[in-house]
Amino acid sequence: MELGLKGKVVAVTGGSEGIGRATVQRFVAEGAKVAFCARRKDVLDKLADDMRKQGGDVLALAADASKKGEMENFIDAVAKHFGRLDVVVNNAGGSGQVAFEKVDEAVWDNDIAIKVYAQIRTTRAAVPHMKKVGGGRIINLNMVGAKQPGAAMFPTTVSRAAGLALTKGLSKEYAADNILVNAVAVGKIKSAGQERGAKRNNLTVDEHYARNSKSIPMGRMGESEEVANVIAFLASDAASYVTGCCINVDGGVSGVL
């Protein structure tokens, strides 16, 4: 199916690995012009080289989503380089989940900065550029725990819940400008972070994935590419009447819609 993404300018935060990397690859495959950022310049440059070898028109910039001013600078650099901005994918952020009493003030501050403030700052910088071209798409990465928090899931479920509220509010505020704002809530997805978790627990990657798959109705962990497919759909012409929603990509693990 033709998604209508060819020539669109897409900005992806947290684009160095996992879902961010898969998202960059998917948009390049669709013929979009793609800018992406993360903290590690060497990893970004390697991905940019790979994408250019595949014919991609890309821009890689080092930026820290937790720091004030860096997301604004990233978005403005993207618009200046490509001359417009059509899609923003707010992907930056990890998944710290520990007991409430183990989370100190600094951890709360960092989590809120990289997940809430980063999305606020990126969106605030992107909206004027999108208005200039008659609309755009903002897609915020989230997690299913934001809808269904549990014990020992701090601080991330709190910051992610704020992200859902931000998504819904923005969708209503900018619908008249044809700026559609949606979220994707992920469950357990294979990633470098998951592999690091396996190492910490003295497990092989296969053992770690098998253990985590037991609680998933589909019986397996998801692939980053499967998340990227949903992100590409929300950015596409096929989702032209979709705004203010959050799609679960979790293999059925969530108990709520």
Side-chain angles (χ1 to χ4, degrees):
M1 180 175 67
E2 175 58 50
L3 294 180
L5 294 170
K6 187 174 183 179
K8 298 289 187 180
V9 175
V10 181
V12 181
T13 70
S16 61
E17 64 180 31
I19 293 170
R21 179 184 179 89
T23 300
V24 170
Q25 293 170 327
R26 180 60 197 266
F27 278 113
V28 167
E30 292 292 336
K33 300 176 182 181
V34 187
F36 49 97
C37 70
R39 289 175 292 187
R40 295 178 294 168
K41 187 177 185 301
D42 56 333
V43 180
L44 292 171
D45 289 344
K46 175 64 168 59
L47 178 57
D49 287 343
D50 291 344
M51 293 298 95
R52 291 183 182 115
K53 289 175 183 176
Q54 296 177 30
D57 188 355
V58 300
L59 174 68
L61 297 171
D64 186 340
S66 69
K67 294 183 178 179
K68 185 177 180 179
E70 298 213 7
M71 290 299 92
E72 294 93 334
N73 291 341
F74 169 63
I75 292 297
D76 288 344
V78 174
K80 182 177 181 180
H81 180 84
F82 289 115
R84 62 183 291 143
L85 179 63
D86 301 287
V87 180
V88 167
V89 180
N90 279 311
N91 173 67
S95 183
Q97 299 181 43
V98 297
F100 179 74
E101 291 182 22
K102 293 183 178 180
V103 187
D104 63 23
E105 198 81 357
V107 174
W108 277 110
D109 286 345
N110 183 70
D111 201 76
I112 291 170
I114 201 169
K115 293 171 186 170
V116 182
Y117 277 121
Q119 292 191 2
I120 290 170
R121 291 164 180 161
T122 305
T123 301
R124 188 166 54 202
V127 164
H129 297 294
M130 292 180 175
K131 285 182 175 180
K132 288 179 183 178
V133 296
R137 307 295 172 85
I138 298 168
I139 301 155
N140 297 325
L141 266 290
N142 209 289
M143 63 175 292
V144 293
K147 301 179 181 182
Q148 193 177 20
M153 295 181 70
F154 299 97
T156 195
T157 52
V158 175
S159 55
R160 290 306 193 188
L164 290 181
L166 177 67
T167 298
K168 178 60 81 172
L170 290 171
S171 72
K172 292 182 178 296
E173 188 151 338
Y174 292 110
D177 297 298
N178 196 35
I179 298 173
L180 310 185
V181 189
N182 294 290
V184 176
V186 300
K188 295 179 179 179
I189 307 297
K190 293 179 181 179
S191 67
Q194 290 283 351
E195 293 174 10
R196 290 190 288 269
K199 187 175 182 180
R200 286 194 301 271
N201 293 319
N202 296 315
L203 296 172
T204 67
V205 172
D206 287 343
E207 288 171 338
H208 176 80
Y209 287 158
R211 177 180 291 185
N212 278 273
S213 296
K214 291 178 180 178
S215 62
I216 303 171
M218 286 186 67
R220 66 175 178 85
M221 293 182 64
E223 304 286 346
S224 295
E225 291 77 12
E226 293 176 301
V227 183
N229 289 341
V230 176
I231 293 170
F233 161 71
L234 288 172
S236 75
D237 290 345
S240 59
Y241 200 58
V242 180
T243 193
C245 80
C246 179
I247 300 176
N248 292 350
V249 184
D250 67 352
V253 73
S254 178
V256 297
L257 293 175

